[in-house]
Amino acid sequence: MTKLLALVRTNWIAFTLLTLVVITTLSLWPLEDLPSVPGTDKTHHLIAYAVLMFPTALRKPDKWIMYGLLFIAYSGAIELLQPYANRYSEWLDMAANALGLVCGLIVAELANRFFPVTSNRSR
């Protein structure tokens, strides 16, 4: 577990950018009908944005709170763009996204508490 967390902490920018690409693609890809997948639409939003926030909250770079605020603004922009991609815009999706960001932050805080960063110098 600690090796995986170390990988995420080290490559947090790459994981964050990859997640943004996936969220953007899945949110703006024109669909005739939504695919049948387990869970509700709001659950999917919550999970996606928790995954988005997790690497940033785990690493906690300078001004990491600003990243969270930018992610909320980004989710609002996605909601505004969805009608132009044959998708539905729902402000409750943005609320689920914000809740997901909070969940990602909480999970990262727990990971940092139970699996703290260790220095190789002490070994």
Side-chain angles (χ1 to χ4, degrees):
M1 177 65 92
T2 56
K3 287 185 181 187
L4 178 61
L5 290 174
L7 178 69
V8 174
R9 283 182 186 109
T10 304
N11 299 297
W12 71 276
I13 293 173
F15 283 113
T16 300
L17 291 175
L18 177 64
T19 305
L20 280 170
V21 168
V22 170
I23 287 172
T24 304
T25 302
L26 292 174
S27 297
L28 296 177
W29 195 271
L31 297 174
E32 293 293 323
D33 294 314
L34 289 176
S36 176
V37 291
T40 67
D41 174 55
K42 303 307 176 264
T43 305
H44 301 152
H45 283 268
L46 187 140
I47 292 169
Y49 280 81
V51 170
L52 175 62
M53 187 65 189
F54 181 77
T56 303
L58 189 67
R59 177 62 185 258
K60 289 222 174 129
D62 291 340
K63 301 181 183 176
W64 66 271
I65 293 173
M66 290 302 297
Y67 287 101
L69 295 174
L70 287 172
F71 296 154
I72 291 172
Y74 179 81
S75 97
I78 290 288
E79 291 303 318
L80 290 172
L81 291 172
Q82 280 184 327
Y84 300 104
N86 196 30
R87 302 291 293 265
Y88 294 105
S89 177
E90 289 185 59
W91 291 108
L92 284 177
D93 288 348
M94 191 172 160
N97 298 344
L99 183 58
L101 293 171
V102 171
C103 289
L105 173 64
I106 290 169
V107 171
E109 287 293 324
L110 291 171
N112 281 329
R113 178 168 295 194
F114 292 108
F115 302 100
V117 176
T118 57
S119 174
N120 288 336
R121 294 180 190 170
S122 63
R123 290 183 183 182

